[in-house]
Amino acid sequence: MDQGVELWTKYSLAKRWLASTGSLTEDKKRMRLFGKIMLGISAIFWLWAIYNTSKMKGNKKDLGIFSFFGSACTSIMILTKCWSDKPTGIGAVVVFISHIVVAANYGLGYKFAKHFGYKLFGSYCLMFIALWILAARVGWILISNVHEHNRMAEYKLLQTRRAKESAAVAATNDDSSDDDSDGYDFGGEYESSYSSSLYGRGGSGGGGGGGGGG
């Protein structure tokens, strides 16, 4: 019972650590820490794969020289400032795939161990299959947390820009309405003045006629 509670507590702590902190700076720190850890692990196992290849006869190669090189490259990508400031969804997919490729390589090792009855080596491969799949999942979550911050910031920026554009259009329409209103009043005053002048002239003419009649 105590062991179950302890495991659940550790799981809850791990889940909490993976969840977004709500701070872009803190989430970015976690993502970069993950990149540093995975770079160190990848570099160590890549060198080990090179050593194994040097000991193999013929043209045989430890496929780890390719898979660990890939995971090391994606770890460097995470640590690169220009990418870590604005990680992309495609980048998250590339990191995820690079870790799954390492897990697949261990899968081949497990198949080899099972075929020749190497139980210890088979257990070793199974353990690392699980660990690299877990690493792929953790990396995906941590990168997605930072990506979500940037996506929301871009959305808010877009909303602000649209609001400013709408305000500018509304102000332009108001100015146009004022101009039209002024033109209408001017026209009305002109027509009224013209009519008064015309009728005034008519009245004067009539008075003159009356005077003539008198």
Side-chain angles (χ1 to χ4, degrees):
M1 183 66 179
D2 291 338
Q3 288 181 347
V5 172
E6 186 179 351
L7 285 172
W8 175 252
T9 303
K10 289 180 179 178
Y11 172 76
S12 298
L13 288 172
K15 193 175 181 181
R16 222 176 305 162
W17 191 82
L18 291 175
S20 176
T21 62
S23 167
L24 174 59
T25 303
E26 288 302 315
D27 285 346
K28 200 181 291 184
K29 281 181 181 178
R30 290 181 176 184
M31 181 186 72
R32 289 177 64 82
L33 176 60
F34 170 79
K36 289 176 182 178
I37 292 171
M38 296 314 299
L39 177 59
I41 293 171
S42 297
I44 291 169
F45 280 92
W46 180 62
L47 291 173
W48 181 253
I50 291 174
Y51 174 77
N52 283 340
T53 300
S54 68
K55 295 293 181 181
M56 291 179 176
K57 296 179 180 179
N59 293 324
K60 294 180 180 179
K61 287 185 175 72
D62 184 333
L63 295 179
I65 61 175
F66 304 111
S67 61
F68 289 119
F69 180 77
S71 62
C73 287
T74 56
S75 298
I76 291 171
M77 182 182 73
I78 292 173
L79 297 174
T80 304
K81 190 176 186 304
C82 62
W83 188 87
S84 64
D85 282 346
K86 286 190 175 182
T88 60
I90 294 175
V93 171
V94 171
V95 173
F96 183 84
I97 290 174
S98 71
H99 293 158
I100 293 299
V101 167
V102 175
N105 186 40
Y106 276 110
L108 292 175
Y110 174 73
K111 187 177 180 181
F112 170 82
K114 190 176 180 181
H115 179 74
F116 289 99
Y118 300 147
K119 292 183 179 180
L120 185 61
F121 181 65
S123 300
Y124 163 85
C125 289
L126 278 178
M127 180 180 70
F128 277 97
I129 288 171
L131 288 174
W132 278 93
I133 290 174
L134 178 63
R137 178 59 180 159
V138 169
W140 177 271
I141 293 171
L142 295 178
I143 294 171
S144 297
N145 289 341
V146 178
H147 178 61
E148 184 63 18
H149 278 292
N150 291 329
R151 193 184 69 82
M152 290 303 298
E154 289 175 0
Y155 175 75
K156 288 178 181 177
L157 182 64
L158 180 62
Q159 291 295 94
T160 302
R161 190 181 301 163
R162 285 178 177 174
K164 287 181 178 178
E165 289 175 355
S166 298
V169 170
T172 303
N173 290 338
D174 288 343
D175 291 341
S176 299
S177 298
D178 291 341
D179 292 341
D180 292 342
S181 178
D182 292 343
Y184 176 78
D185 291 342
F186 175 79
E189 290 175 5
Y190 177 79
E191 289 175 4
S192 177
S193 175
Y194 178 76
S195 299
S196 299
S197 175
L198 181 62
Y199 291 134
R201 286 179 183 178
S204 298

